[in-house]
Amino acid sequence: MTTFTKFACALFLVGLGAAAQAQEADAGDAPEQPVVTADNANIEEVVVIGRYKAAATDIVSERMDASVPVDMLDAEAISRVGDGDVAAALRRVPGLTLAQGKFVYVRGLGERYSSAQLNSAAVPSPDLTRNVLPLDIFPADIVDALTVSKGYSPELPAAFGGGNVNIRTKRVPEDIVLGLKIKSGWNTNNSDDAWTYSGGDDDKFGDDDGTRDLPDALQAAINTYQGSFSPGNILQILERDGGFHTIEEAQLINRQLATELNRNVDVRDKDLPADIGLEATGGYRWFLGENWEVGFLALGAYDDNWRNRERINRRINLPESDFSETQRTVRSTSITGSLSLGARFTDDHEIGTNTMFIRNTEDEASVSQTCAQGQFNDCADATSPAQGRIAELRFEQRELEVNQISGSHTLGDATLDILGDGFNWLEPLRDLQYTWYWSDSQADTDIPNEVRMESLDTLDPGSGAVLDTRIRSTLTAGRYTFAELEDEVESNGFAVTYPFYGDGWDLELAAGYDYVRKTRFFEQITFGLGSTDAGFNAVSSGTPSEVFSDANILDPSTGIQVALNIGQFGEESYAAAQVNDASWFKFDLLLNETWRIAAGFRYEDFVQLSIPLDILSFGEPRIAATLEEIRDGVIAEDEYYPSLAVTYILPGFWADEFQLRAAYSETVARPDIREVTESIFIDPLTEARVQGRASLQSSDVTNYDLRGEWLWDSGDSFSVSLFWKDIDNPIETVQGGASEDNILFTFVNGDTGEIYGAEVEWLKGLGSFSSRLEGFYIAGNATFSDSDLDLDRAVPGAASITNDSRRLTQHSEWVANLQFGWDSADAKHAATLVYNAFGERIFFAGVDGNDDAFEQPFHSLDLVYSWYPTENLTVKVKAQNLLDESLEIEQTGSAGTVTVIEQDVGSTFTLDLKWEL
């Protein structure tokens, strides 16, 4: 089926309801459209065309009340398009694109130029490769609203280049809430054969039951033999007791240690089950007397799905003979639990808590077939073709625990009345507001027993069929990695606001304080298992569990041994810390309901330190860096970050409400914790090696914004924005080299960079054009921009860069989001066709004459249909990636333009059943 045919079919499905409704309209008078009031939409009474426009009007109103340019999505808008997590939902915001399914790029700037908060507080990241928060771990069902601030205001963190994303979770409801949802789904790629292996009994809960733990005997041996399992070192340790010992005794100990590794790691076929998801929600608010209210909201959710992913990696200069094809099967399991408690005293005082636990686990089994011309796995050899075979297992368990408490206290009418005449001296402070928060959260990531087994397939010269598979004769044919990450963030702060009222003017003064302390520790240990002895050839044919059986390992003639940290790239372990002490002030002045001026500044005293560690060093310090290297990696900054926003308000200019706002600010983008250490890690998307650079500097960003916004009482809206950002010392990802089976990325500071462009957004009900179109709407947004970057080749790491003048990494020249929706007159049916796409963007900068690598446009087309048969029941059908797009990264070199990375995504179909009281 062609792309055009798929698109036409989806459009036809959305339009099915139109025919039925048009026939009803011909048969009689069109039904009166429902009226949404402040009781059920939190806005003044307006006439709307359906569920989506009611929510959208509320959001647009809140957006126009903000002092700086912001974009928002609420729970209804997210549900309407069927996105399952926060990252996917944010694709719908103007100028935002999604990378690796979890990181959001704002206005073409990478994730380093944006910050994310949970209820306005900093939280840690469970992602091994980045300090920024992966937004895919937050299920959409916990979200009350998503706010994307594109204009800077002093109460926001200064680490603000593209924008700030604030995830506002659901709080205590106004009335009883009780709901249950069950869902199931299927992906088109799941019809193919899949891989699995013998895991633990608790894998279905995303939790390792200890099957993959580092064996106690190996942990004890690391200390006993002081970080080295070589027979020579073991012999030296043994001889410390003064007795007589032989090398054969040391070799036996090594072999016995090797048997402690889990070798039940054979990959086998599996038929994949359907997706499954469960969710339960409950909440209530009690009214205690005239002034007190208390309540709670609890949510629990479970999701489990399997996905097949086929990936092809090609080398830029020999794509036909140097490549790998990988068949991956990934099981994703997530468990979410949240509890919000709240107490309110009159309308002036409120305290709320938010406790959240999120577990997000990916369990992957993959088999790669590799070819490399001139190597011993040369698939093109006419007489004795052979291919490499790499089987890999990876169980990554990510957990986030959050505990937050916040309060808001206003010296309002109710409070002053209760205090009585004895506190009349407080009258001049009427409407003074004090807000505060405290947040303590920890992210833990555990990757136990990550396994890589390398084999060699002998192929039939005629048919290409596999004749024999043998474990490679190397000391690292089997590689076992154990990794742990702990990331803890504590933050607290307060703000005080006080309004003044005059004749024709209103003034609000605000000041506040924020403190954030972050600690991050990463530890990784790798074991190698294998042999280079001639005797190994007698047993090397078969699966890993057969070749590395206890009998074969303990047989001295095979020469099998275990090595500690063999074949690694350096000191992967590190410790890091951040402290950010910030205070801020701003004023917000409204003149004659026409001019609004908001200005202020933020002061931040920021310190960051990252130290690479060698956890296997026993005779020397475990800090794997010189004092000079540590000093180079320290970032210590104390700066002021000003902001100014001016808004002109003119009701009745083309629309019922209109405002034009201009904003200016200065912010910063700082290097990631891991980017300023020399540690090397693996990027999960490209499987490339990534190495930090201690000399990286922060990027200073100057922001300019201009936005015009129109809002009609009917719920229609339109906005257009212009923006320009000037960046000093932009941080860029460049290719640092390559090996037979991998690429090395590193980071450099550019000289200068800038990005500039325009955004347009609209929501329009189509009923004004024809009565037959009542209930239909079209919504969307588009961003068109360009960027410039100048690199100085004298900067460390930049000497071999091919293009020293180009666009910024990860910048897309255009981003588009379109929605075509329909709401039935009886409010029982709704359908939405959703399209999202972005222009090609630089994935990494090329070196040594090779051009930059570009991620190709991904055209996402989704269809969501909702049926509301009763007031309590919702049936939702979702179809995602109807165009069956795939991820592709292209690079041009001596062999022409090559798709260096290609990965299938597949189309997903989901059925949701939801019951609510």
Side-chain angles (χ1 to χ4, degrees):
M1 185 179 292
T2 66
T3 296
F4 174 79
T5 304
K6 294 177 182 177
F7 188 92
C9 290
L11 192 62
F12 172 74
L13 290 173
V14 175
L16 280 178
Q21 188 167 352
Q23 291 175 359
E24 292 175 5
D26 290 340
D29 294 334
E32 182 180 354
Q33 294 301 316
V35 176
V36 178
T37 68
D39 293 333
N40 57 21
N42 298 320
I43 57 174
E44 296 300 321
E45 183 176 296
V46 293
V47 178
V48 298
I49 66 170
R51 301 169 184 263
Y52 178 77
K53 285 198 67 180
T57 302
D58 191 18
I59 287 296
V60 172
S61 298
E62 185 174 349
R63 188 179 75 183
M64 294 186 74
D65 287 339
S67 61
V68 295
V70 300
D71 287 306
M72 304 184 69
L73 289 174
D74 72 344
E76 176 65 27
I78 296 172
S79 175
R80 178 71 192 230
V81 298
D83 292 321
D85 58 66
V86 167
L90 285 170
R91 294 179 300 162
R92 317 302 178 186
V93 175
L96 269 65
T97 56
L98 190 62
Q100 300 185 29
K102 52 187 173 182
F103 299 110
V104 171
Y105 293 172
V106 181
R107 288 175 167 172
L109 293 170
E111 74 274 3
R112 75 172 69 257
Y113 291 99
S114 302
S115 57
Q117 295 176 294
L118 182 67
N119 297 317
S120 300
V123 291
S125 170
D127 192 272
L128 292 176
T129 61
R130 289 167 177 82
N131 188 32
V132 295
L133 187 64
L135 298 178
D136 64 318
I137 68 172
F138 295 101
D141 292 318
I142 70 170
V143 174
D144 180 53
L146 300 174
T147 302
V148 181
S149 299
K150 295 180 178 177
Y152 178 68
S153 187
E155 69 270 19
L156 298 174
F160 179 105
N164 172 269
V165 177
N166 186 26
I167 305 168
R168 287 161 32 185
T169 59
K170 294 177 180 177
R171 295 299 181 96
V172 175
E174 295 296 328
D175 202 352
I176 186 172
V177 170
L178 186 62
L180 180 65
K181 182 168 74 172
I182 183 171
K183 63 181 179 180
S184 184
W186 176 77
N187 183 274
T188 54
N189 285 352
N190 287 7
S191 60
D192 300 327
D193 292 335
W195 300 115
T196 189
Y197 65 100
S198 298
D201 292 336
D202 294 337
D203 288 1
K204 56 183 173 294
F205 302 115
D207 185 40
D208 179 55
D209 62 359
T211 299
R212 303 173 179 86
D213 282 352
L214 177 64
D216 292 338
L218 290 179
Q219 183 64 67
I222 290 174
N223 296 320
T224 300
Y225 302 111
Q226 299 187 356
S228 174
F229 287 173
S230 70
N233 180 73
I234 293 175
L235 179 60
Q236 290 182 4
I237 300 297
L238 293 175
E239 289 176 341
R240 291 179 180 178
D241 64 4
F244 176 75
H245 301 278
T246 65
I247 190 65
E248 289 77 16
E249 180 183 357
Q251 291 171 341
L252 176 59
I253 292 175
N254 179 283
R255 293 194 296 273
Q256 290 171 337
L257 292 175
T259 62
E260 295 292 333
L261 291 170
N262 178 13
R263 286 143 295 132
N264 186 18
V265 293
D266 296 346
V267 175
R268 62 179 186 273
D269 293 339
K270 177 180 177 63
D271 292 328
L272 296 187
D275 301 346
I276 186 172
L278 300 170
E279 179 187 309
T281 309
Y284 193 67
R285 181 185 293 264
W286 292 270
F287 295 87
L288 309 177
E290 294 183 358
N291 296 322
W292 281 97
E293 302 172 25
V294 297
F296 78 97
L297 177 66
L299 179 143
Y302 171 82
D303 283 282
D304 188 43
N305 64 71
W306 297 74
R307 291 291 180 269
N308 276 341
R309 296 284 187 264
E310 180 179 348
R311 182 177 61 231
I312 301 175
N313 289 57
R314 300 180 180 90
R315 293 296 160 256
I316 178 63
N317 293 323
L318 295 170
E320 299 297 328
S321 58
D322 194 350
F323 62 91
S324 65
E325 296 181 355
T326 303
Q327 298 286 342
R328 304 165 59 212
T329 300
V330 181
R331 183 184 191 181
S332 299
T333 306
S334 63
I335 294 177
T336 303
S338 68
L339 175 65
S340 296
L341 304 176
R344 180 187 294 170
F345 179 69
T346 71
D347 290 333
D348 294 342
H349 305 276
E350 187 170 5
I351 294 178
T353 69
N354 176 43
T355 300
M356 184 181 301
F357 171 81
I358 297 176
R359 174 184 295 155
N360 187 284
T361 300
E362 290 192 349
D363 188 5
E364 176 180 336
S366 67
V367 175
S368 300
Q369 297 173 342
T370 66
C371 293
Q373 188 175 19
Q375 303 292 328
F376 50 86
N377 56 324
D378 190 349
C379 306
D381 190 314
T383 57
S384 57
Q387 68 180 11
R389 178 181 295 268
I390 301 174
E392 294 180 282
L393 309 179
R394 180 184 174 91
F395 184 93
E396 181 174 349
Q397 181 175 333
R398 303 184 296 174
E399 295 183 352
L400 176 64
E401 298 181 23
V402 179
N403 292 286
Q404 297 178 325
I405 182 171
S406 60
S408 175
H409 310 279
T410 304
L411 195 59
D413 295 340
T415 301
L416 290 173
D417 289 345
I418 292 173
L419 291 176
D421 295 338
F423 289 85
N424 286 339
W425 57 274
L426 291 175
E427 184 63 32
L429 299 178
R430 180 183 291 271
D431 294 330
L432 177 73
Q433 184 181 53
Y434 174 76
T435 59
W436 55 273
Y437 72 92
W438 175 84
S439 176
D440 186 23
S441 49
Q442 179 170 323
D444 296 287
T445 299
D446 190 15
I447 306 181
N449 206 56
E450 180 179 1
V451 179
R452 175 186 172 100
M453 288 287 175
E454 298 183 1
S455 306
L456 187 66
D457 293 338
T458 300
L459 307 179
D460 181 88
S463 65
V466 176
L467 300 177
D468 182 45
T469 298
R470 291 180 174 271
I471 300 294
R472 279 182 165 172
S473 182
T474 69
L475 292 177
T476 57
R479 182 175 293 165
Y480 292 75
T481 301
F482 300 83
E484 293 182 359
L485 170 73
E486 293 181 5
D487 195 343
E488 183 178 358
V489 173
E490 180 182 345
S491 61
N492 59 78
F494 65 86
V496 179
T497 59
Y498 183 60
F500 297 87
Y501 306 101
D503 185 12
W505 60 270
D506 296 336
L507 173 65
E508 183 179 84
L509 300 180
Y513 171 81
D514 295 293
Y515 173 82
V516 180
R517 177 188 58 81
K518 177 185 180 74
T519 58
R520 187 174 175 97
F521 178 75
F522 177 70
E523 178 180 283
Q524 179 170 298
I525 297 176
T526 300
F527 299 87
L529 180 66
S531 172
T532 57
D533 287 12
F536 180 65
N537 293 329
V539 298
S540 64
S541 179
T543 66
S545 63
E546 294 169 344
V547 174
F548 293 121
S549 65
D550 285 356
N552 287 343
I553 291 176
L554 294 175
D555 183 354
S557 66
T558 65
I560 298 174
Q561 60 178 288
V562 61
L564 189 56
N565 252 39
I566 275 194
Q568 289 305 284
F569 323 120
E571 293 76 21
E572 289 82 8
S573 304
Y574 67 93
Q578 278 182 3
V579 175
N580 194 353
D581 225 343
S583 54
W584 56 271
F585 168 81
K586 74 171 185 177
F587 71 86
D588 194 343
L589 175 64
L590 180 64
L591 297 173
N592 298 318
E593 299 290 336
T594 302
W595 289 96
R596 183 178 183 182
I597 304 173
F601 66 87
R602 184 181 184 90
Y603 170 78
E604 287 193 354
D605 186 359
F606 178 87
V607 178
Q608 175 177 291
L609 173 64
S610 300
I611 301 175
L613 301 176
D614 183 357
I615 60 175
L616 298 180
S617 176
F618 286 83
E620 299 177 357
R622 293 194 172 185
I623 297 178
T626 65
L627 183 59
E628 182 178 356
E629 290 172 337
I630 294 175
R631 287 173 177 170
D632 288 340
V634 174
I635 298 176
E637 302 169 344
D638 56 332
E639 298 287 346
Y640 288 89
Y641 302 95
S643 70
L644 170 66
V646 179
T647 304
Y648 176 61
I649 305 169
L650 184 61
F653 178 65
W654 187 33
D656 299 294
E657 300 290 339
F658 167 76
Q659 62 183 20
L660 177 68
R661 73 171 92 236
Y664 163 85
S665 61
E666 296 178 10
T667 56
V668 67
R670 301 182 176 104
D672 186 274
I673 280 180
R674 190 149 198 182
E675 292 172 353
V676 292
T677 73
E678 298 297 328
S679 300
I680 297 181
F681 57 96
I682 301 296
D683 183 272
L685 175 66
T686 63
E687 296 187 342
R689 305 170 186 177
V690 184
Q691 183 173 30
R693 188 177 299 277
S695 60
L696 284 180
Q697 302 176 31
S698 296
S699 305
D700 294 322
V701 185
T702 304
N703 311 279
Y704 302 89
D705 289 273
L706 181 67
R707 171 181 282 189
E709 297 173 300
W710 292 263
L711 176 63
W712 286 263
D713 290 342
S714 65
D716 294 344
S717 63
F718 179 77
S719 67
V720 60
S721 305
L722 303 176
F723 61 90
W724 178 46
K725 297 179 181 293
D726 186 56
I727 308 173
D728 289 332
N729 301 317
I731 302 172
E732 290 288 292
T733 304
V734 301
Q735 186 175 342
S739 63
E740 174 196 345
D741 64 343
N742 223 321
I743 304 172
L744 176 66
F745 294 151
T746 188
F747 308 96
V748 300
N749 279 112
D751 187 16
T752 60
E754 61 180 1
I755 183 170
Y756 44 88
E759 295 174 346
V760 61
E761 182 179 16
W762 66 90
L763 170 63
K764 175 60 180 174
L766 303 182
S768 59
F769 298 110
S770 170
S771 61
R772 295 176 179 271
L773 297 178
E774 288 289 351
F776 284 87
Y777 72 88
I778 184 169
N781 56 74
T783 302
F784 305 93
S785 61
D786 201 356
S787 63
D788 297 306
L789 170 73
D790 292 323
L791 284 166
D792 183 356
R793 286 196 172 95
V795 173
S800 59
I801 289 176
T802 301
N803 299 315
D804 57 2
S805 294
R806 53 173 174 80
R807 283 162 44 196
L808 287 165
T809 300
Q810 302 296 355
H811 170 251
S812 298
E813 291 183 315
W814 59 268
V815 179
N817 287 287
L818 298 175
Q819 293 184 34
F820 177 60
W822 167 70
D823 290 285
S824 67
D826 59 6
K828 289 185 176 297
H829 304 274
T832 310
L833 186 66
V834 186
Y835 172 78
N836 169 266
F838 58 85
E840 68 173 14
R841 55 194 183 195
I842 297 178
F843 193 77
F844 59 85
V847 296
D848 299 329
N850 294 322
D851 198 6
D852 304 321
F854 288 86
E855 183 177 355
Q856 297 304 296
F858 188 99
H859 299 270
S860 172
L861 182 67
D862 303 338
L863 177 63
V864 183
Y865 166 75
S866 299
W867 176 38
Y868 309 93
T870 70
E871 292 184 359
N872 306 109
L873 185 63
T874 302
V875 180
K876 183 175 294 185
V877 179
K878 295 182 288 186
Q880 296 173 301
N881 193 26
L882 286 171
L883 303 181
D884 198 22
E885 290 282 276
S886 60
L887 168 70
E888 294 182 357
I889 297 174
E890 294 184 354
Q891 188 177 16
T892 300
S894 59
T897 300
V898 177
T899 303
V900 294
I901 298 175
E902 182 177 351
Q903 180 169 301
D904 285 344
V905 177
S907 301
T908 301
F909 301 88
T910 306
L911 173 66
D912 292 1
L913 300 177
K914 185 176 183 179
W915 176 87
E916 290 181 299
L917 184 63

